[in-house]
Amino acid sequence: MQANPKFLGVLGDGAAQIDWRWKWGLRLLSLGGMALGWELIGRFWPNLLFPAFSDTVAGLAHLLNQPVLWQALWISNQSLIAGYGLALWIGIPVGLALGHWQRADKAFNIYLSILLVTPISALIPLLISISGLGLTSHVLVVFSFAVPFIVANTRTGVKRIQPEIIDLARSYGATEFQIWFKVLLPAAWPSMLTGLRIALGRAITGMVLSEFFLNAEGLGKLLLEFEGRFEAASVYAVMLIVVAESLILLRLVRALEQRYGRAPNRVVVQ
Amino acid sequence: MLTGCLAWEFLGRWSGLVFLPPLSAVLVAGWQLLLSGRLLPDLLASLTSLGLGYGLAAMLGVTLGALMGRYRKLEYLLDMQINILLSSPTFIYIPILFAMFGVSRNSQTALILLYALPVIVANTSLGIRSVEPAQLELARSFGASERQLFWVVLLPAALTHIMLGLRTGMARAVKGMIDGEMVIALVGLGAAIVRYGGRFETDKLLALVMVVVLVSVSGTFVVQFIGKRAAGWLARIT
């Protein structure tokens, strides 16, 4: 393909593979530019609420040494673990059921679609009136954020299975139980894993929002303390930590997705 | 759907729980809100920010996504930022927006923009990159210029992805609208939801949630409609 003589062509054709040096060089440049911009804005427009990049990094380094941070992280993540786990425990079977049973699907799919587009945060005041402000409600919030995506993607995964395969399994005398575990689950696995990844992101959002709107216990409490003392650098440092946590967790799930997310070649029927 | 409504009504009346008013009570509360003129100002305020924020996100997002999809170097320049925005809860960037715009409608619009933009960019660039190189080769062999390539080959082929991104972006925009308003808690639907929640007026709360769902669903329809029109226009000018 000829390179376009106009200047845009120098940016490299979208379809072509690009030198890894360019790839990482550009990314580094981009990050460096952001850091520089942040530093300049923070320095030239001194704002009580907006620390410069260097201050934030210093605050971060200091914060990472405080046990308070790690305790807060642990407290907050408890609701993440519990809520996400609950969402998996309930969401996967419901998703499988909706994908497998036509009648249930026809009845409930519309509610699922509505749930997928509603801002779950609008339901938080409702959840507060159900379970108050303690750990239970944190878990409930995380659960509510995660579960629609788990159900939806699992359901899609099951719906993609060719009916002939299920009929084949039945003709071999497979029980319903065996169909669920040996046919539905493995075949829906790739879609399910994608759903799990998306749902984890949503669950983290739920954790953050529950810290804000409910009782601030872990990170939320820490943030409030820093805001109260006008330690803006620490506030932004905590923000960076939360971003880092979600990036790390999602990266992990994506790696799992790539390793184990391939659809099995054969479906074993005994 | 009907059974759901009936079940809601029955459970609501029978259980008498604070958080589960019967459907009829919710609908009545909603109607009263509308009549008393308290609903409309909040709704209008919300929708203005939504329209502005989403509109900007759509225009910026499709442009940026298309450019990123086409030009690798641009993609690598910005993809980390987009990825970070996609992977982290956008909610935590609220303090930054407050620091920049203060507690105002501008920060609300900026928040909606931030919620919607990454999805639109990601889907658009994916769509552009999914166009088969064979098609591009073919167009080039006919002597197509870069500009023609874009409008005649790339955009139409990427249209499904772009539309998906725009629809998802609309859902994200509504979420951004509500999140922002719940935090600022002064005007808008989100603010009203927080108010009624605090007073345990669950019937009004649920009525507003239904309004939000309606906004989300109709917003998606509007996007779909405009998308189809745009696709027709695109087909006609090329």
Side-chain angles (χ1 to χ4, degrees):
Chain A
M1 251 186 274
Q2 340 159 301
N4 193 299
K6 290 196 270 184
F7 95 95
L8 279 177
V10 88
L11 287 174
D13 204 309
Q17 270 311 335
I18 210 168
D19 207 332
W20 70 267
R21 282 185 292 255
W22 270 108
K23 183 169 164 181
W24 289 104
L26 281 168
R27 283 179 173 167
L28 224 61
L29 180 71
S30 173
L31 282 180
M34 253 175 52
L36 189 67
W38 186 347
E39 182 70 20
L40 288 174
I41 294 179
R43 292 252 166 256
F44 281 110
W45 285 275
N47 187 346
L48 207 57
L49 299 169
F50 195 65
F53 179 65
S54 49
D55 294 332
T56 311
V57 172
L60 181 66
H62 178 239
L63 195 60
L64 285 174
N65 282 323
Q66 315 280 63
V68 220
L69 172 72
W70 299 100
Q71 284 163 356
L73 266 176
W74 170 235
I75 294 177
S76 294
N77 277 300
Q78 279 173 349
S79 33
L80 178 68
I81 296 170
Y84 188 66
L86 194 66
L88 288 180
W89 201 64
I90 294 188
I92 294 181
V94 171
L96 290 174
L98 282 186
H100 191 49
W101 295 330
Q102 288 285 48
R103 272 198 244 141
D105 190 36
K106 271 198 207 138
F108 292 113
N109 190 34
I110 187 165
Y111 300 118
L112 182 65
S113 306
I114 290 179
L115 262 181
L116 283 172
V117 287
T118 6
I120 309 285
S121 37
L123 299 176
I124 288 185
L126 189 70
L127 292 173
I128 292 179
S129 55
I130 294 180
S131 55
L133 293 170
L135 181 67
T136 323
S137 47
H138 282 260
V139 172
L140 215 58
V141 170
V142 172
F143 170 80
S144 309
F145 268 85
V147 94
F149 289 87
I150 296 180
V151 175
N153 281 67
T154 310
R155 170 184 171 271
T156 311
V158 175
K159 279 205 168 280
R160 288 225 178 105
I161 302 177
Q162 292 156 321
E164 295 85 52
I165 297 188
I166 303 181
D167 291 338
L168 184 67
R170 288 231 172 84
S171 72
Y172 273 103
T175 64
E176 196 66 16
F177 185 74
Q178 283 175 316
I179 289 183
W180 274 55
F181 274 94
K182 300 241 189 264
V183 180
L184 295 184
L185 209 51
W189 186 238
S191 276
M192 207 162 71
L193 218 43
T194 309
L196 292 193
R197 173 172 53 88
I198 299 175
L200 183 60
R202 301 287 304 151
I204 295 176
T205 309
M207 173 182 87
V208 170
L209 261 84
S210 70
E211 288 289 328
F212 185 85
F213 289 112
L214 307 177
N215 235 3
E217 282 165 352
L219 289 171
K221 189 160 165 217
L222 203 63
L223 267 174
L224 284 177
E225 276 176 21
F226 289 142
E227 278 170 10
R229 291 188 249 148
F230 284 99
E231 291 179 26
S234 302
V235 171
Y236 279 70
V238 174
M239 269 168 50
L240 282 179
I241 291 173
V242 174
V243 174
E245 181 185 342
S246 43
L247 284 177
I248 293 172
L249 284 178
L250 284 175
R251 188 47 77 176
L252 274 171
V253 180
R254 197 168 294 202
L256 277 172
E257 205 179 334
Q258 279 169 341
R259 265 204 80 189
Y260 298 109
R262 226 131 282 155
N265 287 325
R266 324 182 302 271
V267 174
V268 179
V269 173
Q270 289 172 337
Chain B
M1 184 91 221
L2 190 61
T3 21
C5 294
L6 289 172
W8 183 353
E9 182 69 23
F10 177 68
L11 274 171
R13 284 186 191 277
W14 177 67
S15 69
L17 290 163
V18 177
F19 57 84
L20 196 60
L23 178 58
S24 53
V26 174
L27 291 175
V28 165
W31 187 243
Q32 283 176 335
L33 276 177
L34 183 66
L35 288 179
S36 73
R38 300 240 288 280
L39 180 62
L40 239 37
D42 280 338
L43 183 64
L44 242 54
S46 293
L47 288 180
T48 328
S49 297
L50 181 68
L52 200 58
Y54 181 76
L56 279 171
M59 289 190 290
L60 257 169
V62 174
T63 319
L64 196 61
L67 288 172
M68 278 175 70
R70 178 85 183 113
Y71 303 112
R72 280 283 180 184
K73 293 188 184 170
L74 188 64
E75 180 195 344
Y76 288 127
L77 199 64
L78 294 172
D79 72 341
M80 292 197 92
Q81 282 83 340
I82 298 290
N83 194 33
I84 291 178
L85 284 174
L86 281 173
S87 313
S88 55
T90 325
F91 186 78
I92 52 174
Y93 302 116
I94 290 185
I96 302 183
L97 292 180
F98 280 174
M100 287 203 277
F101 297 103
V103 181
S104 71
R105 273 281 122 188
N106 284 336
S107 54
Q108 175 70 343
T109 310
L111 186 69
I112 295 176
L113 180 73
L114 200 61
Y115 263 76
L117 192 71
V119 211
I120 298 178
V121 170
N123 276 286
T124 307
S125 84
L126 183 68
I128 298 275
R129 264 178 288 134
S130 307
V131 176
E132 302 198 10
Q135 275 186 297
L136 290 171
E137 294 273 5
L138 188 64
R140 278 258 193 251
S141 70
F142 276 109
S145 72
E146 186 70 16
R147 177 166 253 214
Q148 287 172 317
L149 214 60
F150 235 104
W151 290 98
V152 182
V153 183
L154 286 174
L155 277 182
L159 209 55
T160 19
H161 285 261
I162 296 180
M163 283 313 300
L164 179 66
L166 286 175
R167 286 200 306 269
T168 317
M170 171 50 87
R172 292 281 302 157
V174 175
K175 292 183 193 196
M177 170 184 95
I178 292 295
D179 280 358
E181 286 169 359
M182 285 177 79
V183 170
I184 305 184
L186 286 174
V187 284
L189 289 174
I193 288 179
V194 168
R195 265 204 312 270
Y196 295 130
R199 296 189 226 147
F200 282 95
E201 293 181 74
T202 324
D203 49 356
K204 299 208 181 79
L205 180 83
L206 285 177
L208 282 183
V209 173
M210 285 174 80
V211 172
V212 172
V213 173
L214 251 132
V215 169
S216 209
V217 170
S218 26
T220 315
F221 271 118
V222 169
V223 170
Q224 187 98 326
F225 178 73
I226 296 184
K228 289 219 175 94
R229 281 304 188 84
W233 168 82
L234 193 68
R236 265 177 289 141
I237 63 164
T238 55

